[in-house]
């Protein structure tokens, strides 16, 4: 049975806008891009997120022959990121800005950045578009009260001029005068095109049929020494200080930043995930297949970084362990390094291609973003969103992952709610600033916890379920919840505002709005869940107490214990 869920968490099942949905309604951008931008303000990663969102919103900057020309591939090699295509684009944009900053420092050279792009198979026009779009995204966030006017890594002309010395202002004035002269000469020298209305019978007026003069286009004169009008316009809008700000804002400074950027991107793109085919290890690099929730047997786009280095997606023999258990004797590998691909677009031409992909640890991504997570009574087998199965060797390792994910999701939701409420003037004082001080501290603490969670190593298997596998997966047996079972209270909220109660449709117990315990049929290969009172004792890693209880009771205790231990940070 497939329980559909509203996409992107912007509407409820009652078809009402959620708080983030109301905010997204104020941003005239794609929902996925809007969510990335909002999350960037929550985690103080807005500078890099602005650049990433702009890079993902324009056409690919690669030329058609960029991946077929060996000289371009070699020149671009240092920009490739094995984390995924968005970070390769970010590296390319940053390197282009470095060339612009070098030209601003050493003196412009006619067509320098254009030649730099050509050698690497880039269309420079896309980088100019990204720069403009980045500023537009920043302005939208400011209009929505999600950013103050001075945030976003790009200051206005007045603020930049105020930070200059008198000598710098004088030099900038002379540069602007020269640039305006170049622009005026280019416009006078450019051939004027007539505006012609082409009206086809029966079609009515169409703005696309109007041929307009092209004042922005290319160069004047056509040679290498010709004026590049796009470069002139760029330098008119950005002085050297602003170029440096753009450069700093487009840099991910460490592994922690990369991990957080991946989570921010995935929060906007989920459920656009793909899992590798079970037989990829027996196939050539060009024949690697991946399956999405709605489309099987997709391939990586040849322009993607993983199409040229698929080894980073494969499990090494040293990453796989063997377990003497019947449920792990199949073709699924037991490893702590399973990965999923998150993608921006599924492009269907002669083949279905995954475009703009990046990789994430599989179990961590699924438990952080899954909309429907269902478990068996043993708490070792989980089905996420009715298409992926995750199986752990034992309930102890499963509880460690699930308890951390439940706590992180709730903290993330509370931080986002506080951010949106503060934006709307509902916080203390209602001032228009980026975050309340306590929320900024919580954001940094949550970032550290999320990075630690993504790096945690737990062995498991992951596989795609077929239609026959999910035909009858729920027991639908009513569950009884004793809130004071064995003296251990179950009235702790694992999710703020959600009461633990039996699930009326699937069976089992709904622990949160997305996590249901004990609703799956018990696996024929696994061990039966122990009867009440026959469970083995377990020592809590937090409080070090020895406890006996069902997996559900122990999970509730572990989440509660974890929150008490981290109370000082959050």
């Amino acid at each position: 049975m497939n329980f559909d869920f509203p996409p992107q968490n912007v509407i409820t099942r009652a078809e009402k806008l959620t708080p983030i949905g109301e905010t997204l309604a104020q941003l005239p951008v794609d929902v996925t891009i809007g969510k990335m931008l909002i999350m960037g303000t929550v985690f103080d990663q807005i500078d890099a997120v602005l650049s990433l969102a702009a890079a993902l919103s324009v056409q690919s900057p690669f030329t058609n022959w960029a991946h077929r020309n060996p000289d371009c591939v070699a020149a671009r090699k240092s920009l490739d990121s094995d984390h995924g295509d968005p970070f390769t684009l970010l590296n390319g944009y940053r390197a282009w800005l470095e060339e612009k900053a070098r030209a601003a420092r050493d003196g412009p050279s006619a067509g320098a950045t254009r030649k730099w792009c050509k050698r690497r198979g880039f269309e420079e026009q896309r980088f100019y578009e990204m720069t403009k779009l980045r500023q537009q995204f920043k302005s939208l966030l400011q209009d929505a009260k999600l950013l103050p006017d001075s945030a976003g890594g790009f200051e206005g002309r007045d603020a930049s001029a105020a930070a200059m010395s008198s000598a710098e202002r004088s030099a900038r004035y002379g540069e602007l005068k020269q640039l305006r002269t170049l622009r005026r000469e280019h416009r006078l020298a450019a051939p004027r095109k007539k505006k012609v209305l082409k009206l086809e019978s029966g079609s009515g007026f169409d703005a696309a049929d109007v041929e307009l003069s092209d004042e922005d286009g290319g160069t004047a004169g056509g040679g290498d020494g010709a004026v590049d009008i796009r470069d002139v316009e760029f330098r008119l809008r950005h002085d050297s200080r602003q170029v440096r700000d753009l450069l700093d804002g487009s840099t991910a400074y460490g592994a922690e930043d990369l991990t957080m950027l991946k989570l921010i991107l995935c929060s906007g793109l989920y459920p656009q995930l793909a899992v590798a085919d079970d037989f990829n290890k027996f196939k050539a690099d060009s024949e690697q297949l991946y399956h999405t929730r709605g489309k099987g047997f997709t391939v990586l786009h040849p322009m993607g970084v993983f199409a040229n280095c698929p080894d980073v997606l494969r499990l090494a023999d040293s990453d796989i362990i063997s377990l003497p258990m019947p449920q792990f004797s199949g073709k699924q590998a037991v490893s702590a390094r399973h990965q999923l691909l998150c993608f921006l677009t599924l492009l269907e031409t002669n083949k279905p291609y995954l475009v703009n992909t990046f990789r994430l640890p599989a179990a961590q991504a699924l438990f952080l973003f899954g909309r429907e997570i269902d478990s068996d009574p043993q708490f070792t087998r989980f089905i996420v969103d009715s298409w992926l199965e995750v199986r752990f060797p034992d309930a102890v390792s499963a509880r460690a992952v699930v308890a951390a994910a439940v706590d992180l999701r709730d903290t993330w939701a509370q931080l986002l709610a506080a951010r949106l409420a503060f934006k709307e003037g509902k916080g203390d004082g209602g001032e228009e600033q980026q975050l309340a001080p306590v929320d900024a501290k919580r954001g940094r603490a949550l970032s550290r916890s999320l990075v630690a969670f993504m790096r945690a190593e737990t062995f498991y298997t992951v596989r795609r379920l077929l239609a026959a596998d999910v035909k009858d997966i729920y027991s639908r047996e009513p569950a009884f919840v004793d809130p004071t079972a064995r003296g251990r209270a179950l009235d702790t909220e694992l999710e703020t505002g959600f009461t633990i109660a039996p699930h009326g449709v699937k069976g089992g117990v709904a622990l949160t709005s997305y996590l249901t315990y004990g609703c799956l049929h018990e696996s024929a290969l696994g061990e039966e869940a122990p009867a009440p009172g026959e469970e083995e004792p377990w020592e809590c890693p937090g409080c070090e107490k020895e406890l006996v209880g069902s997996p559900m009771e122990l999970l509730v205790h572990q989440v509660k214990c974890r929150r008490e231990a981290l109370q000082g940070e959050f």
Side-chain angles (χ1 to χ4, degrees), residues 110-119 124 219 223-228:
T113 55
R114 188 170 67 251
K115 296 174 186 176
W116 181 91
C117 289
K118 186 175 181 179
R119 284 195 300 269
E124 188 176 27
T219 61
D224 288 340
V227 175
D228 185 349

Side-chain angles (χ1 to χ4, degrees), residues 49-175:
V49 171
L50 282 170
S51 298
L52 278 171
L56 296 176
S57 299
V58 302
Q59 293 183 26
S60 172
F62 297 106
T63 59
N64 292 333
W65 41 267
H67 68 292
R68 295 192 296 267
N69 187 319
D71 293 334
C72 287
V73 173
R76 205 174 55 243
K77 190 68 175 177
S78 61
L79 303 178
D80 288 344
S81 171
D82 64 0
H83 291 278
D85 300 321
F87 304 100
T88 297
L89 294 175
L90 189 64
N91 289 343
Y93 181 57
R94 185 181 69 245
W96 178 74
L97 288 172
E98 287 175 350
E99 292 298 314
K100 287 290 187 185
R102 185 179 297 109
R105 183 181 65 250
D106 302 336
S109 175
T113 55
R114 188 170 67 251
K115 296 174 186 176
W116 181 91
C117 289
K118 186 175 181 179
R119 284 195 300 269
R120 289 158 179 79
F122 289 126
E123 291 186 30
E124 188 176 27
Q125 172 64 17
R126 304 303 170 219
F127 291 135
Y128 288 120
E129 292 173 359
M130 287 165 56
T131 304
K132 292 181 180 179
L133 197 56
R134 187 184 189 277
Q135 175 60 19
Q136 290 173 12
F137 285 156
K138 171 182 166 284
S139 299
L140 290 174
L141 291 176
Q142 291 174 342
D143 293 342
K145 304 297 189 295
L146 287 166
L147 280 183
D149 291 341
S150 60
F154 173 83
E155 297 180 346
R157 297 180 185 179
D158 295 339
S160 181
M164 292 181 181
S165 64
S166 58
E168 289 174 332
R169 282 195 295 272
S170 177
R172 178 59 177 166
Y173 175 79
E175 181 186 16

